[in-house]
Amino acid sequence: MAVVALMLGGCGGDVSHRSQASGLSAAAEATHEVERLGVEVIARHPFDATSFTQGLEVTGDKLLVSTGWEGKSRIYHTTVDNVQSNSQDIDRRQFGEGATQVGNVVWELTWRDGVAYKRDAATLAELGTAKYAGEGWGLCSFSDVVVMSDGTDELRFLDPDTFAERSRVKVTLSGTPASELNELDCVTGDNGQRLVYSNVFLSTDIYRIDADSGKVTGIIDASTVPNNAASDPNNVLNGIAHIPGSDRFYVTGKRWPDLYEVRFVKPTS
């Protein structure tokens, strides 16, 4: 499988085609009612530079990490000091994608195999599988629902026990379809609003999406976060995880040696 032309994890596709299709810079510049934010780096932590990161989530005192690439895809727990545990591989023919914990269960996606793995949240041991149509990209969850991206301008809402689809919402940026939604993080705001933060494929932008309406309410420019990965078009920003009880997030990327603790802030100029 070609590194760039045939796949670029979080999902597949040609780099130039997807960059043109997303039109992120033009859309962002034309957006006035959407809040624009930057990133303040608070701390840097070591991370596994071999992990082709597809999913990142805080689960208790650990991080849940799911990775991609055929023959190398796995899911594991780690600490902010990069002490790993409970690593579980998936079928070597499959390409791993996003993952999320909901209650005592973890769900893990595959890219084009239409298979989701159901796992024990404590050990990550496989409990079963579920099928879904289309591609799998990112996952996050609220207490009563799992949210999934598939590379289109839609978010799917899934049953946390069976993974059966309940509904979908179209994601829009100032009325325009917003696709290339990749790794996800679900956050309940101070006012109870359900928000989904999404990495945008091949971009350093992160969208803040109202989960009920699908409207992009904010764009976070994460281009100032240092990318110290080896030079490779695949090694992009991908991975966002809210730190509960705070206004901070962890962010990382594919094969990044660093995990950053950050805050999203209004630009100073």
Side-chain angles (χ1 to χ4, degrees):
M1 178 175 279
V3 175
V4 173
L6 297 183
M7 66 113 264
L8 263 164
C11 308
D14 175 79
V15 173
S16 60
H17 170 74
R18 287 188 177 270
S19 298
Q20 294 165 4
S22 60
L24 294 174
S25 297
E29 291 173 0
T31 300
H32 301 290
E33 70 277 17
V34 174
E35 185 177 23
R36 299 305 305 267
L37 298 169
V39 173
E40 176 188 5
V41 175
I42 306 298
R44 182 183 65 82
H45 305 279
F47 201 64
D48 182 1
T50 68
S51 288
F52 198 76
T53 305
Q54 304 286 49
L56 181 73
E57 190 169 280
V58 176
T59 57
D61 61 352
K62 295 183 177 66
L63 286 164
L64 175 69
V65 182
S66 59
T67 75
W69 212 272
E70 290 177 346
K72 298 182 179 180
S73 296
R74 66 186 180 113
I75 188 169
Y76 63 92
H77 286 129
T78 189
T79 68
V80 293
D81 297 318
N82 197 30
V83 178
Q84 298 181 21
S85 59
N86 302 323
S87 181
Q88 301 283 348
D89 296 336
I90 67 170
D91 189 316
R92 293 182 59 83
R93 297 167 296 180
Q94 295 176 344
F95 195 109
E97 288 290 343
T100 189
Q101 178 175 333
V102 53
N104 295 322
V105 166
V106 164
W107 285 103
E108 178 189 12
L109 292 172
T110 54
W111 176 24
R112 287 178 167 172
D113 295 284
V115 176
Y117 288 92
K118 187 177 187 179
R119 300 183 178 278
D120 178 83
T123 65
L124 300 182
E126 183 180 335
L127 300 175
T129 61
K131 293 283 190 178
Y132 55 88
E135 296 185 0
W137 287 37
L139 278 184
C140 69
S141 57
F142 298 103
S143 61
D144 60 345
V145 70
V146 172
V147 184
M148 171 180 163
S149 63
D150 58 11
T152 70
D153 61 343
E154 293 184 326
L155 291 176
R156 306 184 193 186
F157 297 92
L158 312 171
D159 185 278
D161 184 54
T162 66
F163 217 65
E165 185 172 331
R166 292 176 176 174
S167 62
R168 299 189 185 199
V169 66
K170 292 277 190 181
V171 179
T172 58
L173 173 59
S174 299
T176 301
S179 61
E180 311 297 313
L181 307 173
N182 204 356
E183 211 274 315
L184 306 178
D185 193 55
C186 292
V187 179
T188 302
D190 293 337
N191 60 357
Q193 183 184 28
R194 292 188 169 196
L195 302 172
V196 175
Y197 288 80
S198 175
N199 286 117
V200 181
F201 186 60
L202 294 183
S203 168
T204 52
D205 282 345
I206 297 169
Y207 285 167
R208 185 185 67 207
I209 304 163
D210 182 299
D212 294 319
S213 69
K215 292 181 179 178
V216 176
T217 63
I219 300 175
I220 298 103
D221 176 8
S223 61
T224 58
V225 178
N227 180 348
N228 295 316
S231 180
D232 186 316
N234 296 282
N235 294 349
V236 295
L237 180 79
N238 196 52
I240 176 171
H242 178 245
I243 303 173
S246 77
D247 62 350
R248 299 182 181 187
F249 291 77
Y250 291 121
V251 296
T252 189
K254 301 170 195 258
R255 303 196 191 102
W256 281 26
D258 308 302
L259 174 77
Y260 293 96
E261 186 176 337
V262 305
R263 182 184 293 120
F264 301 148
V265 296
K266 292 185 178 181
T268 56
S269 57

